[in-house]
Amino acid sequence: MYVICSSTIDGLTPVSFYRKGDSLFFVLDPCSVHYNRGLDELGTFYFGQALSQLKPHLSSYGKDLLK
């Protein structure tokens, strides 16, 4: 049911995120197909990543925002 989850995200534009401590958390909508959403145990998916691991992938502007 979750096989397509990673392929549905092609950028961060539709993804909500927030900072907590030294991590950045991404909030992803349920990705199961509509007819399986009643069986979807994950629902909204939260994925956290340490800022130290993300900084090499950020632009100068992004790094400045996270100071």
Side-chain angles (χ1 to χ4, degrees), residues 24-38:
L24 197 61
F25 289 86
F26 301 94
V27 183
L28 308 173
D29 291 333
C31 64
S32 58
V33 291
H34 180 72
Y35 54 83
N36 282 337
R37 292 217 173 146

Side-chain angles (χ1 to χ4, degrees), residues 2-65:
Y2 303 107
V3 173
I4 63 165
C5 290
S6 61
S7 65
T8 60
I9 303 168
D10 59 359
L12 292 179
T13 303
V15 177
S16 300
F17 58 93
Y18 62 93
R19 182 179 180 175
K20 185 174 182 182
D22 64 344
S23 296
L24 197 61
F25 289 86
F26 301 94
V27 183
L28 308 173
D29 291 333
C31 64
S32 58
V33 291
H34 180 72
Y35 54 83
N36 282 337
R37 292 217 173 146
L39 304 171
D40 188 350
E41 296 177 2
L42 293 179
T44 303
F45 183 70
Y46 298 88
F47 172 71
Q49 187 77 34
L51 290 173
S52 60
Q53 293 177 330
L54 289 172
K55 283 189 178 179
H57 305 286
L58 297 174
S59 66
S60 298
Y61 180 68
K63 290 176 187 175
D64 195 45
L65 286 175

